[in-house]
Amino acid sequence: MRKTIVALIVGYILFGAAIGSYLFFLTDTTIPEQYRGTAADPATFMDERELTLSQDYATVRNLLFFLSTPYEWVLLFLLLIVGLSRKIKVWSEATTRFRSLQILVYFFWFSLLTSILSFPLKWYGYSASKKYGINVQPFSNWMKDYMIDYWINFLLTGLIVIVLYTLIQRSQKRWWFYAWLLSIPFTLFLTFIQPVVIAPLYNDFYPLKDKELEAKILALADEAGIPAEHVFEVNMSEKTNAMNAYVTGIAGNSRIVLWDTTIEKLSDDEVLFIMAHEMGHYVKKHILFGTVGYIFVTLVGLFLIHKMMNTIVTRWGHALHIKNMQEISSIPLFFLLLSLLSFIFLPINNTVSRMHELESDKYAIELTGDNTAAVMTFQKLSKTNLSEVNPPILVKIFRYTHPPMLDRLHFLESYGQPVIEDN
């Protein structure tokens, strides 16, 4: 066990050194020659200081991302191999004789312990965003959001774990399929209530204050065939200097939301382009496709976890202090495999997401006919959010749900423009 633990820690340190070397020394994020002087060249819309800050901040965020996920794997594996998971199981079983409550008690201590051990990385991410002027939240407010997030995740995930391990106990061979069937209405329910129940726990949402701008947006929505009655504004300026807008929800609970920072920093034409982009998500049914895709991936993921857990418990259950899958001490193994599979699926998920974003960009230009506003919008977003214009390939593959700004700005500048051929 000692050799395994030492090997695990040394392996994580070596991985950290390798990814750090890649991000700091081995990547070339300079702008290709063909983009120099175009709208995609950050030198045309950022000064030297902004260029340096955006690159430094991006490197910090990228390093934090690539260190955080393996760190989670290390924690979960250590809980198993040192026998701590089994001890928490014994404590929970001594607390109550009801299995559902045993699972909940176990999950409370499990989630509390992993949250405490993961907190330093969360805090470092907050500190970095604060240092670079993105986050303006006082630590107390950030902690308030952190605690809200913790308790929401505890309650929702705790319910899921109780259902999962009840199914595993009753049907070890088909639990994954029954769990998938139950996940469908649960996923739809969460998608439906998130805009009106969960999101307002973090921020204040209200109809757009600028009624003249709202009238323009609603006229654009009418042209797009969207039955919108309101555009929602969210008070984000007390938390961040960054800009954003998004569409969320399904059916009657779909919402188009603008951050107040976006309204303050962009012109009406630029806001209209952003809204047209968000309307593109609605018209192209990206939320629906995303939900259906998530449901399908859940089926595949649960099946793979079922197979992998069976194999691991059979071969190495003694070393991990797990007698069988039904034992609640196997919960860290479930989350470890879930995290691994989620990471493996990231490139596929991100590729699909980037395709949807590109579709929405096309739709927005066709709806507004305003390439200039499109380019100016994303140049301002790049400056304000300190976006990395040309990220390293691994960062793009594993982190980017949107096209990099280099690709996006080049596309927005050239889309629909006549092609001039050299004679």
Side-chain angles (χ1 to χ4, degrees):
M1 184 178 70
R2 289 178 182 177
K3 289 182 179 179
T4 302
I5 293 172
V6 170
L8 190 67
I9 294 173
V10 170
Y12 179 73
I13 292 172
L14 291 176
F15 170 80
I19 199 67
S21 299
Y22 171 76
L23 293 173
F24 283 97
F25 306 113
L26 302 179
T27 57
D28 182 11
T29 57
T30 57
I31 304 302
E33 189 62 37
Q34 65 266 31
Y35 296 107
R36 299 282 175 85
T38 68
D41 184 355
T44 64
F45 59 88
M46 287 186 183
D47 59 34
E48 198 65 37
R49 179 178 176 276
E50 289 168 334
L51 285 170
T52 301
L53 286 175
S54 65
Q55 189 58 52
D56 290 348
Y57 182 50
T59 303
V60 169
R61 286 187 301 158
N62 294 336
L63 180 63
L64 193 60
F65 169 81
F66 282 109
L67 291 181
S68 296
T69 304
Y71 179 74
E72 177 188 348
W73 301 341
V74 171
L75 284 183
L76 293 172
F77 185 76
L78 286 176
L79 284 177
L80 292 167
I81 199 167
V82 302
L84 185 54
S85 177
R86 187 160 191 83
K87 288 182 180 178
I88 299 175
K89 166 188 172 289
V90 173
W91 297 339
S92 64
E93 290 176 342
T95 304
T96 175
R97 63 188 181 87
F98 297 104
R99 181 172 168 82
S100 294
L101 291 179
Q102 290 172 357
I103 296 171
L104 191 62
V105 170
Y106 175 96
F107 186 71
F108 170 75
W109 291 112
F110 166 76
S111 61
L112 182 63
L113 179 61
T114 52
S115 295
I116 291 173
L117 293 175
S118 300
F119 183 79
L121 289 176
K122 300 285 186 182
W123 175 81
Y124 181 74
Y126 160 74
S127 299
S129 64
K130 186 94 170 175
K131 174 184 175 182
Y132 286 93
I134 299 298
N135 196 318
V136 297
Q137 271 187 298
F139 179 76
S140 58
N141 287 357
W142 178 78
M143 274 301 300
K144 176 185 174 183
D145 283 351
Y146 181 84
M147 293 306 299
I148 290 173
D149 193 52
Y150 171 81
W151 284 111
I152 289 176
N153 284 332
F154 169 73
L155 292 173
L156 291 178
T157 311
L159 175 62
I160 292 170
V161 171
I162 289 173
V163 172
L164 279 174
Y165 273 78
T166 300
L167 292 173
I168 290 173
Q169 185 183 37
R170 295 185 178 182
S171 179
Q172 190 170 347
K173 291 184 178 180
R174 295 186 178 86
W175 68 266
W176 58 274
F177 183 71
Y178 300 139
W180 174 71
L181 291 177
L182 290 174
S183 76
I184 297 174
F186 186 75
T187 298
L188 295 175
F189 175 71
L190 282 184
T191 306
F192 189 79
I193 69 165
Q194 192 276 337
V196 295
V197 177
I198 298 176
L201 294 174
Y202 297 90
N203 303 292
D204 295 326
F205 289 77
Y206 39 82
L208 185 60
K209 293 177 182 178
D210 187 337
K211 295 305 175 185
E212 184 177 344
L213 178 59
E214 184 178 48
K216 293 178 182 179
I217 294 172
L218 292 177
L220 197 66
D222 184 63
E223 186 179 347
I226 299 173
E229 297 181 1
H230 297 289
V231 177
F232 287 89
E233 182 179 342
V234 56
N235 179 20
M236 291 297 295
S237 56
E238 62 183 19
K239 296 184 178 182
T240 181
N241 285 319
M243 294 188 287
N244 197 15
Y246 59 89
V247 59
T248 187
I250 56 175
N253 276 27
S254 293
R255 284 190 174 188
I256 298 175
V257 178
L258 268 172
W259 288 12
D260 60 346
T261 51
T262 304
I263 301 167
E264 293 166 6
K265 297 176 182 179
L266 298 182
S267 69
D268 282 7
D269 286 342
E270 291 159 357
V271 170
L272 287 174
F273 176 80
I274 284 187
M275 288 293 90
H277 172 91
E278 299 306 326
M279 291 172 192
H281 286 303
Y282 182 92
V283 171
K284 300 294 183 179
K285 297 181 173 57
H286 291 159
I287 297 176
L288 176 61
F289 292 148
T291 303
V292 172
Y294 176 79
I295 290 172
F296 172 75
V297 169
T298 300
L299 173 63
V300 176
L302 286 171
F303 174 73
L304 290 176
I305 289 174
H306 164 67
K307 290 293 186 181
M308 294 166 72
M309 282 188 74
N310 267 322
T311 301
I312 291 170
V313 171
T314 300
R315 294 185 179 181
W316 301 288
H318 177 72
L320 299 177
H321 306 280
I322 303 172
K323 292 180 179 179
N324 53 63
M325 277 183 60
Q326 295 99 316
E327 280 196 333
I328 57 178
S329 57
S330 68
I331 287 176
L333 177 60
F334 178 89
F335 280 99
L336 173 59
L337 295 176
L338 178 63
S339 181
L340 282 167
L341 290 175
S342 297
F343 189 79
I344 291 169
F345 276 117
L346 265 181
I348 299 173
N349 177 69
N350 291 346
T351 299
V352 173
S353 179
R354 290 195 296 269
M355 290 170 58
H356 285 171
E357 293 298 328
L358 183 60
E359 266 193 312
S360 289
D361 282 347
K362 289 180 181 178
Y363 180 86
I365 292 180
E366 291 166 0
L367 185 62
T368 63
D370 196 342
N371 292 67
T372 301
V375 169
M376 291 294 293
T377 296
F378 284 105
Q379 286 180 339
K380 290 181 180 179
L381 282 169
S382 298
K383 289 181 63 172
T384 306
N385 297 356
L386 293 181
S387 301
E388 188 173 23
V389 176
N390 187 29
I393 185 64
L394 281 181
V395 174
K396 177 182 176 180
I397 290 172
F398 284 99
R399 288 206 64 205
Y400 272 62
T401 57
H402 292 59
M405 282 299 178
L406 180 71
D407 301 335
R408 204 166 196 178
L409 284 167
H410 176 68
F411 168 78
L412 293 170
E413 182 183 37
S414 59
Y415 183 72
Q417 303 300 317
V419 178
I420 299 175
E421 298 181 359
D422 295 330
N423 293 324

